[in-house]
Amino acid sequence: SQQGEEDPQALSIQEGENATMNCSYKTSINNLQWYRQNSGRGLVHLILIRSNEREKHSGRLRVTLDTSKKSSSLLITASRAADTASYFCATDPLGGKLIFGQGTELSVKP
Amino acid sequence: EAEVAQSPRYKITEKSQAVAFWCDPISGHATLYWYRQILGQGPELLVQFQDESVVDDSQLPKDRFSAERLKGVDSTLKIQPAELGDSAMYLCASSLTRSTGGTQYFGPGTRLLVL
């Protein structure tokens, strides 16, 4: 079963634009993580935000977490063609067992 | 930078055959995970090891799937017999922490096609 639902399922933007992806989940969590997956490859960890944090930055990434709404968003600023990938949110409701969403497929056109 | 190794990268087999996948986690990582990812979906956990012990295999189809991590280091996931519906990407991940929700480091995956 997958707890996270991501929106949109697919997103196409021009290089230089910002990309925003949203994730909603159902149960209380310890933390929420975002991962990137290039086509046909493994997942790469991007950022982790704990349940007591509201916002976190890492380079061009900004993640927000609203535990009252059980939702998170990932913002990629000044996107590049190399950002083209699938992005997954993963929640940790039961300790150590990550539950992944369906993913958002991002396409950044040069 | 240390990485999780998996082999083979691709496997084509016929249904009813046996297949095996191998994973070598990052050195020192006590926790190892096997995930299955169907095309267009997120990964789903099949089994989680803490050292050599299974701590979660609730989603592992035990009639045909088995996993072991005998010395608490590398791990093997086996499917016997393979079915058409097993076609998917099989991902291995490891994490350093034994506590909740640590960062997981993924290998490149094994893409399985069952004909």
Side-chain angles (χ1 to χ4, degrees):
Chain A
S1 62
Q2 297 192 314
Q3 132 144 290
E5 291 189 5
E6 293 172 72
D7 170 60
Q9 289 189 334
L11 179 61
S12 182
I13 59 174
Q14 294 294 132
E15 214 167 22
E17 294 180 340
N18 294 342
T20 299
M21 289 158 266
N22 303 295
C23 170
S24 60
Y25 56 92
K26 298 174 184 174
T27 65
S28 297
I29 59 172
N30 292 313
N31 66 57
L32 185 145
Q33 303 181 37
W34 285 90
Y35 287 80
R36 183 188 73 226
Q37 184 177 36
N38 290 86
S39 180
R41 304 298 301 274
L43 281 74
V44 175
H45 179 261
L46 295 176
I47 197 166
L48 180 153
I49 185 166
R50 302 193 186 283
S51 59
N52 61 354
E53 297 176 310
R54 292 295 169 260
E55 187 171 314
K56 203 162 184 179
H57 297 255
S58 177
R60 294 184 295 114
L61 306 180
R62 172 179 170 254
V63 169
T64 62
L65 179 64
D66 187 336
T67 53
S68 66
K69 295 181 179 178
K70 292 186 169 57
S71 66
S72 174
S73 67
L74 171 67
L75 168 67
I76 305 174
T77 59
S79 63
R80 306 166 181 167
D83 295 328
T84 294
S86 293
Y87 292 81
F88 295 90
C89 68
T91 54
D92 161 41
L94 298 175
K97 177 176 177 174
L98 287 182
I99 300 179
F100 286 82
Q102 301 266 10
T104 292
E105 193 172 326
L106 174 65
S107 175
V108 182
K109 301 184 187 306
Chain B
E1 184 176 313
E3 296 181 340
V4 175
Q6 288 189 249
S7 67
R9 292 292 309 278
Y10 304 92
K11 180 70 178 178
I12 300 174
T13 190
E14 295 184 345
K15 64 179 182 179
S16 80
Q17 296 297 304
V19 292
F21 313 130
W22 177 80
C23 172
D24 191 12
I26 294 172
S27 178
H29 281 197
T31 310
L32 183 147
Y33 312 82
W34 282 102
Y35 289 89
R36 178 171 58 188
Q37 185 180 24
I38 295 169
L39 192 63
Q41 298 184 18
E44 289 192 286
L45 182 69
L46 291 174
V47 61
Q48 176 182 341
F49 289 92
Q50 194 71 32
D51 299 310
E52 66 275 9
S53 301
V54 173
V55 297
D56 187 341
D57 63 357
S58 57
Q59 299 303 310
L60 188 71
K62 298 181 189 62
D63 57 335
R64 298 185 300 108
F65 286 64
S66 64
E68 61 183 17
R69 193 184 183 198
L70 292 176
K71 297 182 179 178
V73 180
D74 59 339
S75 175
T76 302
L77 177 70
K78 297 179 181 177
I79 308 175
Q80 182 173 21
E83 297 181 351
L84 296 178
D86 296 331
S87 294
M89 173 80 91
Y90 290 83
L91 295 162
C92 178
S94 68
S95 66
L96 177 62
T97 179
R98 295 169 188 250
S99 63
T100 63
T103 298
Q104 295 187 17
Y105 297 86
F106 283 79
T110 296
R111 186 170 294 280
L112 174 66
L113 178 61
V114 182
L115 302 175

